[in-house]
Every structure is written in C-alpha cells, then in structure tokens.
Amino acid sequence: MNHRRHRIATIPGDGIGHEVIEAGQEVLEAAARKFGFSLNWTEFDWSCDRFQNTGQMMPEDGIDLVREYDAIYLGAVGWPTVPDHVSLWGLLIPLRRELDLYANVRPVKLFEGVKCPLADRKPEDIDFVVVRENVEGEYSKIGGRLYEGTPQEAANQVAMFTRHGTDRIMEVAFDLAKRRRKHVTSATKSNGIVHTMPFWDERFKAATARHAGVETAAYHIDILAAHFVLHPDWFDVVVASNLFGDILSDLGPAVAGSIGIAPSANLNPARKTPSMFEPVHGSAPDIAGKGIANPAAAIWAGAMMLEHLGETQAAEAVINAMATTLAQNETRTADLGGTEDTRQSVAAVLAAL
Ligand code: GGG
C-alpha cells in the first residue's frame, strides 16, 4: 500500500496565529507518525507584516500558489497597524472567495471539565454546528462613500444574496443535519431587512421541502442570539448568512466556555479546490508573543483538516487527546481558568495522544 502524503500550505498570519499554528503542527505531526501518513508543510509569510514591507498581504499569484496543495492551515489575520478591512480583504476573504470555499463549518461544543458561563449546563446540552455562508451576503465590496469629510458624508453597502449561493449553503446545512440530530435552524431578519432576508427565508423553505425528515426552525437573529444563551440545547445545525454566521460562531463558543477552543473549516464541498482550516479566533494582539494562547482551536481545526483529508482515525484521536487535556484542571490555559501556557498545553495533548 502507498504511504499517504498530504501537502499542506500553512499561513500563520499575524499575532498568536504563529503560536497556535506551530502548536497545531506539532500535534498533527505526532498524529501522522502514529497513524502512518506524512504531512508535508510549506509556509507562506502572508500577513500584516508582509503588507507593511511590500504593500500586499499576499503576492498577486498567491491564490494560484496555494491551489496546488491538499489543504490550507491558517492562523489569524489582522494587526493594529493595518486597518482590519484591508487585512481581511487582502488575505482571508480572497482565499475564501477565489477558492470558492463557500461553506464555513464551525462546530460549538461544551467539553467535559470546561466551565460554562451558563449555570447548570452539561456537555450534552451544547453541541451544535454553525454553517455560515462564506463568500457572499453582507460581506460585499458593493457600495461606496460620498462627500467624504463633509457634514453630508454618507456611506452605503449592498448585501448580495444569489439563488445559487443561498441554495448551496442550505444543502450543506441539511446534509450535515442528516448525519447529526436532523434539525436545522435558520438565522434570519426578514422583519427588518426586506429584500435579502425574505429571499433567504424562501430558499430555506425550498430546502426544507427537498429534505423530508429534517426538522426545522427559523428565528430572527436578535432573538436567536438570546436563545443561544438561554437554550443552547435547542440547536443542532444553524444555517446563517456570512455576517450572522460570523457573529453566531463567536457567541456560540463563548457560551461553551471560550472562543479559544472554536475551530472553523472553510470548505469547497465538491473538493475542486483545497479547503482551508483555521481557528475562529483572531490574532489577539494583547497576548501575542507571550506564549499563553490557547492552542485548542488550532488543534481542533487541524483535526477537521485531517478528517477532510481522509485521516478519520487520526482526527478522532487528536480531538480525544484535546478533550482529555480540557477535562483536567492542571492542563488548561488561562482563558479556561487554568495556568498552562501554550507549550505546556501542547505537551499535555501530545502525552494524551
Ligand atoms: N482565524 C482567522 C481570523 O483571523 N479571524 C478573524 C476575523 O476577523 N475573521 C473574520 C471572518 O472570519 O470573516
């Protein structure tokens, strides 16, 4: 049998992106040795640092360079010296769009031993997945500014929802629900947003009709956010637009103990391009370089990458090892009330693997 090799493009990016990607690589390497495959890493220095030196977050042919890989492992994008919209639109958003990584799958789970900010919640109460539309919606460059610097100054921004884009994200959500507890919740706001959100509701209804056996619910985003806090046990798969999904996938992990745990898979489900895996969290300038970042989100994102590459057993082992360290007081990082630094946390995951 041929030895399995996977070529991975790493983009540590900015701030704690470097620390957590290095941590994740160490764990994934150990899993590869244990389960008999290899990971060949190529690092790209695309970042705000690069922007400051060259005026570009990544080179002109960057997308073509990473197309050659089996997957992309990304840390974090953003640094205070570069406006956030410049760094995001210079790197993360072009990667998602030009590789057509239209499904952003973000699991939320309360792990055994992790302190939940909600009273009396057990791990079985919080276990859902946010499926975020990743390439259109509210994140558009359509719009502009008028009369800049004058009292009449104005700005507008157009959200773009296509039938193709909305239908395909619904399919991802319903397909995923069929492999889970068979329930999909839609995040809408069709009372206030009168064109795109009624359209979103219609496409959700059409998907519901195509998927008999999957139960559904729909809530306006404001009350849905409240239900995430009050009734996280109501949710299995939550399908949301780009902006709503972005917000919900930070809120969900906060409810489950820490955003430091939350992973994210940017998928092209047809596998025509390399999918990209990243922690949900950003570059965290306040703790960058201190060696105290929680590597769990990057490790879990790495496990999702292994699963995507067909290394299911290794993926499961990595998640189990991570869960073991989260369960013990002495192996938790500061965001989870523990005292471990990034290196100690990695050592604990490696020992558990
Ligand atoms: N880990 C990737 C990262 O840096 N995320 C920060 C961020 O601002 N993300 C926005 C988005 O996911 O659209």
Side-chain angles (χ1 to χ4, degrees):
M1 200 170 82
N2 280 346
H3 181 76
R4 303 183 304 284
R5 286 176 206 284
H6 308 290
R7 292 158 309 146
I8 314 293
T10 57
I11 309 173
D14 299 303
I16 63 165
H18 291 271
E19 294 151 68
V20 298
I21 287 300
E22 189 187 323
Q25 280 180 286
E26 212 174 312
V27 172
L28 299 184
E29 272 296 327
R33 283 194 296 277
K34 182 168 174 176
F35 290 92
F37 59 93
S38 354
L39 297 168
N40 295 343
W41 308 93
T42 306
E43 185 169 316
F44 294 88
D45 69 347
W46 306 346
S47 59
C48 290
D49 260 359
R50 189 182 190 284
F51 181 86
Q52 293 204 284
N53 294 330
T54 67
Q56 285 182 312
M57 294 291 293
M58 65 173 166
E60 291 294 341
D61 61 347
I63 301 293
D64 288 333
L65 293 177
V66 291
R67 260 183 219 285
E68 304 305 316
Y69 291 83
D70 298 316
I72 304 166
Y73 194 35
L74 179 136
V77 180
W79 197 247
T81 49
V82 179
D84 281 341
H85 66 279
V86 173
S87 54
L88 210 65
W89 278 92
L91 181 50
L92 197 49
I93 293 184
L95 282 166
R96 289 174 179 163
R97 287 184 183 219
E98 291 180 42
L99 297 173
D100 201 21
L101 307 179
Y102 65 85
N104 194 341
V105 175
R106 298 183 151 191
V108 176
K109 197 168 157 57
L110 175 60
F111 283 89
E112 199 68 58
V114 171
K115 190 173 174 327
C116 178
L118 312 178
D120 302 326
R121 288 296 181 183
K122 299 184 192 60
E124 57 270 27
D125 294 335
I126 307 182
D127 178 5
F128 60 86
V129 183
V130 176
V131 174
R132 166 189 178 189
E133 200 295 317
N134 213 23
V135 295
E136 54 176 53
E138 306 87 345
Y139 283 29
S140 91
K141 270 192 169 164
I142 311 164
R145 289 170 70 156
L146 284 173
Y147 311 122
E148 281 183 56
T150 73
Q152 292 77 35
E153 185 162 11
N156 79 348
Q157 178 94 37
V158 175
M160 178 63 77
F161 288 73
T162 65
R163 181 182 277 236
H164 171 68
T166 310
D167 282 352
R168 67 182 183 171
I169 198 63
M170 297 294 172
E171 284 306 296
V172 172
F174 279 82
D175 283 347
L176 178 60
K178 284 177 176 166
R179 287 179 268 128
R180 292 177 48 94
R181 301 193 303 276
K182 300 185 176 49
H183 190 280
V184 181
T185 302
S186 165
T188 183
K189 189 61 192 170
S190 46
N191 56 352
I193 300 175
V194 299
H195 298 301
T196 55
M197 282 293 124
F199 173 71
W200 173 272
D201 290 354
E202 282 163 32
R203 302 324 303 158
F204 181 61
K205 218 166 153 192
T208 305
R210 286 195 299 276
H211 293 278
V214 178
E215 281 186 53
T216 60
Y219 298 102
H220 294 308
I221 186 67
D222 41 351
I223 190 66
L224 179 55
H227 289 328
F228 261 39
V229 176
L230 298 172
H231 311 287
D233 51 313
W234 285 2
F235 302 107
D236 176 20
V237 174
V238 180
V239 65
S241 66
N242 209 334
L243 177 63
F244 292 170
D246 194 9
I247 295 168
L248 291 175
S249 57
D250 273 30
L251 177 61
V255 163
S258 171
I259 193 157
I261 299 176
S264 167
N266 300 266
L267 302 175
N268 178 280
R271 293 169 184 262
K272 292 190 174 144
T273 52
S275 288
M276 178 167 73
F277 300 82
E278 53 167 329
V280 167
H281 64 69
S283 61
D286 53 332
I287 58 162
K290 293 186 179 163
I292 57 170
N294 187 347
I299 292 171
W300 190 358
M304 292 177 88
M305 178 167 77
L306 293 186
E307 175 155 19
H308 181 78
L309 295 169
E311 303 294 351
T312 316
Q313 275 187 302
E316 221 169 276
V318 168
I319 293 177
N320 288 341
M322 186 190 85
T324 304
T325 64
L326 294 175
Q328 293 158 7
N329 262 334
E330 58 279 10
T331 48
R332 288 198 211 108
T333 44
D335 57 314
L336 297 170
T339 54
E340 295 288 87
D341 63 20
T342 311
R343 304 276 352 127
Q344 290 164 323
S345 179
V346 170
V349 176
L350 291 173
L353 192 70

